[in-house]
Amino acid sequence: MSKKTSLSQVSDFDIRLLRLFKTVAECGGFSAAESVLGISRSAISLHMGDLEKRLGIRLCQRGRAGFALTDEGREVLHASQSLLAAIEGFRSQVNQLHQQLRGELNIGIVNSLVTQSRMRITQALRALSEQGPGVRINIGMMTPSDIELKVLDGQLHVGVVPLVSPLAGLDYIPLYEEDSLLYCSQGHPLFWRADADISDADIAAAPAVIPGFRLPPEAQQCQQALDGSATASDREGIAFLILTGRYIGYLPDHFAASWVAQGKLRAIRPQQLHYQVPLTVVTRKGRRPNLVLEKFLHELAVSND
């Protein structure tokens, strides 16, 4: 057999033959390799002959004296083991790239949601951080309109906003309903009066702070019944003004809960004066595949209320 043959490239067929050769060598012969490879001894012999021709090297002695690797065969076996290990390592690394979470998650959230008892956002962020320690999470607190616009233009991957007027280029996924009640603070004239003694006229006459952001129709009706003497761009601003004792205003019940527990706020006629706002997760339609975002959305979906 000529030894001048050179292997210019390694094909898939060569790799299959090298795998067969490695198995034969590790089994110690053709007969022992039959059951492992699932092919006959004659087929193994043919494949070994093909490999030797392709390499231009005698790999083993076989016959009555038994099976034994040649010096060249031992070298090829060592090289084969290194090659096949490298291929497996490459496969594992590529597969891991599909499973590892890398990159960034840019998320916009309306403020005052951290006190929500149904902590689906917190749970999803925790799961994302645990499963993708290399992921950088960037949170921006902003108004619903800003969040929607930034998701549309790609500055944000995802946002959490109240559902008011859905934009055509966005997908809205229901998250939960948020309850808002009408509050006054300890220094307000209505604070110590029983609900039965507070009339609609008393409510209409009391200076109120109203939001400077969009609300669903039901919420707008409740706000229109108030004397909008002041406005605030977000819920924290509304809370600031209510706590002055000069204004009444609507706040999410979970956001007001700590002040209520301290005796600083009270809800006015909560059975009648309340509304719900659906909170949604918003993403851009037709977005590119993003493993980090998809993982976050999955964790939101499976998180318990």
Side-chain angles (χ1 to χ4, degrees), residues 1-168:
M1 184 177 297
S2 172
K3 294 187 178 181
K4 294 182 179 180
T5 303
S6 62
L7 195 65
S8 60
Q9 61 182 5
V10 179
S11 66
D12 290 343
F13 181 62
D14 292 319
I15 292 173
R16 287 197 295 271
L17 292 178
L18 289 171
R19 289 186 189 279
L20 178 140
F21 167 58
K22 177 175 175 289
T23 301
V24 170
E26 291 173 347
C27 290
F30 292 7
S31 298
E34 279 186 292
S35 60
V36 176
L37 293 171
I39 58 177
S40 68
R41 193 183 328 176
S42 60
I44 294 173
S45 181
L46 287 172
H47 288 315
M48 285 292 295
D50 285 339
L51 180 60
E52 288 177 328
K53 288 177 184 177
R54 294 177 73 82
L55 297 177
I57 295 172
R58 185 76 172 178
L59 297 173
C60 61
Q61 303 293 340
R62 55 261 199 193
R64 293 182 180 181
F67 175 87
L69 292 177
T70 63
D71 290 341
E72 293 87 349
R74 281 190 288 272
E75 291 291 334
V76 171
L77 175 62
H78 178 73
S80 299
Q81 290 169 333
S82 298
L83 172 63
L84 296 174
I87 291 173
E88 186 57 35
F90 173 79
R91 180 184 293 112
S92 297
Q93 285 185 338
V94 171
N95 288 340
Q96 195 173 21
L97 287 177
H98 289 286
Q99 297 169 4
Q100 284 185 345
L101 297 173
R102 300 172 183 268
E104 293 188 336
L105 178 70
N106 299 321
I107 176 172
I109 305 177
V110 292
N111 74 345
S112 310
L113 286 187
V114 70
T115 52
Q116 170 62 254
S117 60
R118 293 169 289 176
M119 301 182 70
R120 294 177 62 179
I121 299 171
T122 302
Q123 291 168 1
L125 290 173
R126 179 177 64 226
L128 180 63
S129 179
E130 289 173 349
Q131 297 175 43
V135 174
R136 181 182 179 88
I137 299 173
N138 305 307
I139 294 182
M141 311 306 295
M142 50 192 87
T143 65
S145 295
D146 284 343
I147 291 172
E148 289 173 317
L149 291 176
K150 289 180 182 297
V151 171
L152 268 177
D153 66 19
Q155 293 184 54
L156 294 175
H157 297 114
V158 62
V160 179
V161 298
L163 182 61
V164 182
S165 302
L167 301 182

Side-chain angles (χ1 to χ4, degrees), residues 101 128 131 290-300:
L101 297 173
L128 180 63
Q131 297 175 43
N290 182 318
L291 187 60
V292 172
L293 174 58
E294 299 311 320
K295 183 62 181 176
F296 175 69
L297 295 177
H298 171 74
E299 293 298 333
L300 271 180

Side-chain angles (χ1 to χ4, degrees), residues 110-113 178 213 233-239 251-252 255:
V110 292
N111 74 345
S112 310
L113 286 187
E178 184 179 65
F213 48 86
S233 63
D234 55 32
R235 283 97 69 91
E236 189 170 344
I238 294 173
L251 287 174
F255 183 49

